[in-house]
Amino acid sequence: MTMSPTYTLTLGPLTRQLPIMPISPKLAIASFVLLGDTELTDYAASALAQKMPADFDYLITMESKGIPLAQELSRLTNRAQFVVLRKSQKDYMRDPLSVPVNAITTSAPQRLFLDGLDAQSLAHKRVVIVDDVISSGGSLNAARVLVQQAGATVVGQVAILAEGAAAQRTDIQFLAELPLFPL
Ligand SMILES: Nc1ncnc2[nH]cnc12
C-alpha cells in the first residue's frame, strides 16, 4: 500500500497524523476519523465540556462519528440521555421527521432522520448540537432544521474541528482548525 501524505493535528497534549485523501478531482481533506480513538474522544469531550452553554437540556448529534463524542460529553455534563440523528430510516422509528443533507465527504444525496419519540422529548427543550467536524455546515444546518421542527431551541453548536471556511464562523465553538487541501 502506498502511503498518503499526512497532516499533523495537535489537540492539547495529543497529536495525530491525518492522511490527506482526495475527495474530488479538485479537493483533498485531512481525514479525521474519531471512531475507535478513545483517547482523543475523551480529551476532546473534556475540552468541549468547558465550552458548553451553562443551561441546556439535550445534546444532539449526527450519525455516526459524533456518537462517541456526544456520549462522553453527555456523561461529563451529567445528562442522562442524548439524541442521535440517523442517516437512514429504521423500521422501529415512529413518525420520523427527515430533511435532506449535503455532506462534503459523501457524494450521494443523503437524508437525516429524527425519530418521532425523540422529537417529542425535544419539544420546548434547549439543545446543543455536537459533531466531530463542521465543514460546509450541511449536516449542522440539517440538524438545526430537525431541532426546530421538533419545537426545540438550539442554544449551542460545538465540534472538535472547524474545517476550511468554518474556522471563521463565530456561531460555533470548536477546539482546532483543519485546513482543506485544494488540488
Ligand atoms: N476532514 C474530515 N475528515 C473526516 N470527516 C469529515 N467530514 C468533513 N470533513 C471531514
Side-chain angles (χ1 to χ4, degrees), residues 8-16 39-40 42-44 46-47 175:
T8 304
L9 174 71
T10 304
L11 218 50
L14 306 178
T15 60
R16 295 290 185 272
E39 184 181 46
L40 194 75
D42 288 359
Y43 174 78
S46 52
L175 301 179

Side-chain angles (χ1 to χ4, degrees), residues 49-68:
Q50 315 299 316
K51 294 179 176 272
M52 296 291 285
D55 187 13
F56 73 95
D57 302 303
Y58 274 99
L59 286 167
I60 188 164
T61 193
M62 295 70 113
E63 189 178 30
S64 54
K65 298 205 295 301
I67 296 175

Side-chain angles (χ1 to χ4, degrees), residues 10-160:
T10 304
L11 218 50
L14 306 178
T15 60
R16 295 290 185 272
Q17 300 297 327
L18 309 185
I20 299 176
M21 306 296 292
I23 56 165
S24 79
K26 290 185 170 174
L27 189 65
I29 60 169
S31 171
F32 178 65
V33 182
L34 191 60
L35 293 178
D37 196 334
T38 312
E39 184 181 46
L40 194 75
T41 302
D42 288 359
Y43 174 78
S46 52
L48 285 176
Q50 315 299 316
K51 294 179 176 272
M52 296 291 285
D55 187 13
F56 73 95
D57 302 303
Y58 274 99
L59 286 167
I60 188 164
T61 193
M62 295 70 113
E63 189 178 30
S64 54
K65 298 205 295 301
I67 296 175
L69 177 66
Q71 170 137 352
E72 180 60 8
L73 200 48
S74 164
R75 197 184 65 78
L76 289 173
T77 56
N78 297 309
R79 272 30 180 215
Q81 271 88 34
F82 66 101
V83 169
V84 181
L85 301 176
R86 307 297 301 264
K87 288 180 178 161
S88 60
Q89 179 166 353
K90 305 294 176 188
D91 291 340
Y92 51 74
M93 287 180 171
R94 279 201 251 164
D95 304 323
L97 303 175
S98 87
V99 292
V101 55
N102 290 310
I104 180 176
T105 49
T106 316
S107 31
Q110 288 194 114
R111 295 188 78 79
L112 216 50
F113 296 85
L114 172 63
D115 191 328
L117 284 179
D118 288 333
Q120 278 181 14
S121 313
L122 290 178
H124 311 297
K125 295 294 196 311
R126 295 160 62 87
V127 169
V128 176
I129 302 174
V130 51
D131 208 354
D132 54 341
V133 186
I134 295 173
S135 189
S136 67
S139 43
L140 182 63
N141 288 344
R144 292 181 64 89
V145 172
L146 286 173
V147 166
Q148 281 153 12
Q149 285 184 4
T153 306
V154 178
V155 296
Q157 310 185 120
V158 306
I160 303 176

